[in-house]
Short mmCIF file of all heavy atoms in Angstrom, two decimals:
data_model
loop_
_atom_site.label_atom_id
_atom_site.label_comp_id
_atom_site.label_asym_id
_atom_site.label_seq_id
_atom_site.Cartn_x
_atom_site.Cartn_y
_atom_site.Cartn_z
N PRO Y 403 15.46 4.83 -41.14
CA PRO Y 403 16.87 4.91 -41.55
C PRO Y 403 17.46 6.27 -41.15
O PRO Y 403 16.74 7.28 -41.16
CB PRO Y 403 16.80 4.77 -43.08
CG PRO Y 403 15.48 4.11 -43.36
CD PRO Y 403 14.56 4.54 -42.27
N PRO Y 404 18.76 6.30 -40.80
CA PRO Y 404 19.37 7.54 -40.30
C PRO Y 404 19.19 8.73 -41.23
O PRO Y 404 18.97 9.85 -40.76
CB PRO Y 404 20.85 7.18 -40.15
CG PRO Y 404 20.85 5.70 -39.96
CD PRO Y 404 19.69 5.16 -40.74
N ASP Y 405 19.25 8.50 -42.55
CA ASP Y 405 19.10 9.65 -43.45
C ASP Y 405 17.68 10.19 -43.42
O ASP Y 405 17.44 11.40 -43.54
CB ASP Y 405 19.54 9.29 -44.87
CG ASP Y 405 18.77 8.11 -45.44
OD1 ASP Y 405 18.25 7.29 -44.65
OD2 ASP Y 405 18.68 8.01 -46.68
N MET Y 406 16.73 9.29 -43.20
CA MET Y 406 15.34 9.75 -43.12
C MET Y 406 15.10 10.50 -41.80
O MET Y 406 14.44 11.54 -41.77
CB MET Y 406 14.37 8.57 -43.24
CG MET Y 406 12.92 9.00 -43.38
SD MET Y 406 11.83 7.60 -43.56
CE MET Y 406 12.25 7.05 -45.20
N PHE Y 407 15.67 9.96 -40.71
CA PHE Y 407 15.56 10.67 -39.43
C PHE Y 407 16.13 12.08 -39.57
O PHE Y 407 15.52 13.07 -39.15
CB PHE Y 407 16.31 9.90 -38.32
CG PHE Y 407 16.20 10.53 -36.96
CD1 PHE Y 407 15.23 10.11 -36.05
CD2 PHE Y 407 17.04 11.58 -36.58
CE1 PHE Y 407 15.12 10.71 -34.80
CE2 PHE Y 407 16.93 12.18 -35.34
CZ PHE Y 407 15.97 11.74 -34.44
N ALA Y 408 17.30 12.18 -40.19
CA ALA Y 408 17.95 13.49 -40.35
C ALA Y 408 17.10 14.42 -41.21
O ALA Y 408 16.99 15.62 -40.93
CB ALA Y 408 19.34 13.31 -40.95
N ALA Y 409 16.49 13.86 -42.25
CA ALA Y 409 15.66 14.69 -43.13
C ALA Y 409 14.43 15.21 -42.37
O ALA Y 409 14.07 16.38 -42.49
CB ALA Y 409 15.23 13.88 -44.35
N TRP Y 410 13.80 14.33 -41.58
CA TRP Y 410 12.63 14.76 -40.79
C TRP Y 410 13.04 15.83 -39.77
O TRP Y 410 12.35 16.82 -39.59
CB TRP Y 410 12.03 13.56 -40.06
CG TRP Y 410 11.14 12.70 -40.89
CD1 TRP Y 410 10.47 13.06 -42.02
CD2 TRP Y 410 10.81 11.33 -40.65
NE1 TRP Y 410 9.75 12.00 -42.49
CE2 TRP Y 410 9.93 10.92 -41.68
CE3 TRP Y 410 11.16 10.40 -39.67
CZ2 TRP Y 410 9.40 9.65 -41.75
CZ3 TRP Y 410 10.63 9.13 -39.73
CH2 TRP Y 410 9.76 8.75 -40.76
N GLU Y 411 14.17 15.56 -39.11
CA GLU Y 411 14.62 16.50 -38.08
C GLU Y 411 14.87 17.87 -38.70
O GLU Y 411 14.58 18.90 -38.10
CB GLU Y 411 15.88 15.95 -37.40
CG GLU Y 411 16.25 16.72 -36.15
CD GLU Y 411 17.38 16.04 -35.39
OE1 GLU Y 411 18.33 15.54 -36.03
OE2 GLU Y 411 17.30 16.02 -34.15
N GLY Y 412 15.39 17.86 -39.94
CA GLY Y 412 15.67 19.11 -40.62
C GLY Y 412 14.43 19.93 -40.92
O GLY Y 412 14.52 21.14 -41.16
N LEU Y 413 13.26 19.29 -40.91
CA LEU Y 413 12.01 20.02 -41.16
C LEU Y 413 11.47 20.70 -39.90
O LEU Y 413 10.50 21.46 -39.97
CB LEU Y 413 10.94 19.05 -41.69
CG LEU Y 413 11.22 18.43 -43.06
CD1 LEU Y 413 10.20 17.35 -43.38
CD2 LEU Y 413 11.21 19.52 -44.13
N GLU Y 414 12.09 20.39 -38.75
CA GLU Y 414 11.61 20.97 -37.49
C GLU Y 414 12.13 22.39 -37.30
O GLU Y 414 13.23 22.72 -37.77
CB GLU Y 414 12.07 20.11 -36.30
CG GLU Y 414 11.49 18.72 -36.29
CD GLU Y 414 9.97 18.73 -36.33
OE1 GLU Y 414 9.35 19.25 -35.39
OE2 GLU Y 414 9.39 18.21 -37.31
N PRO Y 415 11.37 23.24 -36.63
CA PRO Y 415 11.89 24.57 -36.31
C PRO Y 415 13.19 24.42 -35.50
O PRO Y 415 13.22 23.66 -34.54
CB PRO Y 415 10.79 25.19 -35.44
CG PRO Y 415 9.55 24.43 -35.78
CD PRO Y 415 10.00 23.04 -36.12
N GLY Y 416 14.23 25.07 -35.91
CA GLY Y 416 15.50 24.92 -35.22
C GLY Y 416 16.27 23.69 -35.65
O GLY Y 416 17.39 23.45 -35.19
N GLY Y 417 15.65 22.85 -36.49
CA GLY Y 417 16.35 21.69 -37.04
C GLY Y 417 16.64 20.60 -36.04
O GLY Y 417 17.50 19.74 -36.28
N LYS Y 418 15.92 20.57 -34.91
CA LYS Y 418 16.17 19.56 -33.89
C LYS Y 418 14.87 18.88 -33.49
O LYS Y 418 13.82 19.50 -33.37
CB LYS Y 418 16.77 20.19 -32.62
CG LYS Y 418 18.19 20.69 -32.75
CD LYS Y 418 19.18 19.56 -33.06
CE LYS Y 418 19.39 18.62 -31.89
NZ LYS Y 418 20.32 17.52 -32.27
N ALA Y 419 14.99 17.57 -33.24
CA ALA Y 419 13.89 16.83 -32.64
C ALA Y 419 13.76 17.23 -31.17
O ALA Y 419 14.75 17.62 -30.53
CB ALA Y 419 14.15 15.33 -32.73
N ALA Y 420 12.54 17.11 -30.63
CA ALA Y 420 12.35 17.27 -29.19
C ALA Y 420 12.93 16.06 -28.47
O ALA Y 420 13.01 14.97 -29.04
CB ALA Y 420 10.86 17.40 -28.87
N SER Y 421 13.34 16.25 -27.23
CA SER Y 421 13.70 15.10 -26.40
C SER Y 421 12.42 14.56 -25.75
O SER Y 421 11.45 15.31 -25.55
CB SER Y 421 14.69 15.50 -25.31
OG SER Y 421 14.04 16.32 -24.35
N PRO Y 422 12.40 13.28 -25.39
CA PRO Y 422 11.22 12.75 -24.69
C PRO Y 422 10.95 13.49 -23.38
O PRO Y 422 9.80 13.63 -22.97
CB PRO Y 422 11.59 11.28 -24.42
CG PRO Y 422 12.66 10.95 -25.39
CD PRO Y 422 13.39 12.23 -25.68
N GLU Y 423 12.00 14.00 -22.75
CA GLU Y 423 11.83 14.71 -21.47
C GLU Y 423 11.08 16.03 -21.66
O GLU Y 423 10.32 16.45 -20.78
CB GLU Y 423 13.20 14.99 -20.83
CG GLU Y 423 13.91 13.75 -20.31
CD GLU Y 423 14.48 12.84 -21.41
OE1 GLU Y 423 14.75 13.34 -22.54
OE2 GLU Y 423 14.67 11.63 -21.14
N VAL Y 424 11.28 16.66 -22.81
CA VAL Y 424 10.54 17.90 -23.10
C VAL Y 424 9.05 17.60 -23.21
O VAL Y 424 8.21 18.37 -22.71
CB VAL Y 424 11.09 18.52 -24.42
CG1 VAL Y 424 10.09 19.49 -25.03
CG2 VAL Y 424 12.41 19.22 -24.16
N ILE Y 425 8.70 16.48 -23.83
CA ILE Y 425 7.29 16.11 -23.96
C ILE Y 425 6.75 15.69 -22.59
O ILE Y 425 5.63 16.08 -22.20
CB ILE Y 425 7.12 14.96 -24.98
CG1 ILE Y 425 7.81 15.31 -26.32
CG2 ILE Y 425 5.63 14.65 -25.18
CD1 ILE Y 425 7.35 16.58 -26.98
N ALA Y 426 7.55 14.95 -21.83
CA ALA Y 426 7.12 14.51 -20.50
C ALA Y 426 6.85 15.70 -19.58
O ALA Y 426 5.97 15.64 -18.71
CB ALA Y 426 8.18 13.60 -19.89
N ASN Y 427 7.58 16.78 -19.78
CA ASN Y 427 7.37 17.98 -18.97
C ASN Y 427 5.95 18.52 -19.14
O ASN Y 427 5.28 18.88 -18.17
CB ASN Y 427 8.40 19.04 -19.37
CG ASN Y 427 8.35 20.27 -18.50
OD1 ASN Y 427 8.40 20.17 -17.28
ND2 ASN Y 427 8.22 21.42 -19.13
N ALA Y 428 5.49 18.55 -20.39
CA ALA Y 428 4.12 19.04 -20.66
C ALA Y 428 3.09 18.05 -20.13
O ALA Y 428 2.05 18.46 -19.58
CB ALA Y 428 3.94 19.25 -22.16
N ILE Y 429 3.36 16.77 -20.29
CA ILE Y 429 2.44 15.75 -19.78
C ILE Y 429 2.33 15.88 -18.26
O ILE Y 429 1.23 15.82 -17.69
CB ILE Y 429 2.91 14.34 -20.19
CG1 ILE Y 429 2.87 14.17 -21.71
CG2 ILE Y 429 2.08 13.26 -19.49
CD1 ILE Y 429 3.57 12.92 -22.23
N ALA Y 430 3.48 16.06 -17.60
CA ALA Y 430 3.49 16.16 -16.14
C ALA Y 430 2.69 17.37 -15.67
O ALA Y 430 1.99 17.30 -14.65
CB ALA Y 430 4.93 16.24 -15.63
N PHE Y 431 2.77 18.45 -16.41
CA PHE Y 431 1.98 19.65 -16.06
C PHE Y 431 0.49 19.33 -16.08
O PHE Y 431 -0.25 19.66 -15.15
CB PHE Y 431 2.30 20.78 -17.05
CG PHE Y 431 1.35 21.94 -16.99
CD1 PHE Y 431 1.31 22.77 -15.88
CD2 PHE Y 431 0.50 22.21 -18.05
CE1 PHE Y 431 0.42 23.84 -15.82
CE2 PHE Y 431 -0.38 23.28 -18.00
CZ PHE Y 431 -0.42 24.09 -16.89
N LEU Y 432 0.05 18.63 -17.13
CA LEU Y 432 -1.38 18.33 -17.26
C LEU Y 432 -1.83 17.21 -16.31
O LEU Y 432 -3.02 17.10 -16.01
CB LEU Y 432 -1.71 17.99 -18.71
CG LEU Y 432 -1.55 19.17 -19.68
CD1 LEU Y 432 -1.67 18.69 -21.13
CD2 LEU Y 432 -2.58 20.27 -19.38
N ALA Y 433 -0.90 16.38 -15.85
CA ALA Y 433 -1.24 15.29 -14.93
C ALA Y 433 -1.17 15.73 -13.46
O ALA Y 433 -1.61 14.98 -12.58
CB ALA Y 433 -0.28 14.11 -15.15
#
Side-chain angles (χ1 to χ4, degrees):
D405 57 336
M406 189 178 289
F407 182 96
W410 279 337
E411 191 172 41
L413 294 172
E414 296 304 298
K418 290 297 290 178
S421 70
E423 290 73 24
V424 160
I425 308 303
N427 185 52
I429 296 169
F431 168 68
L432 293 171

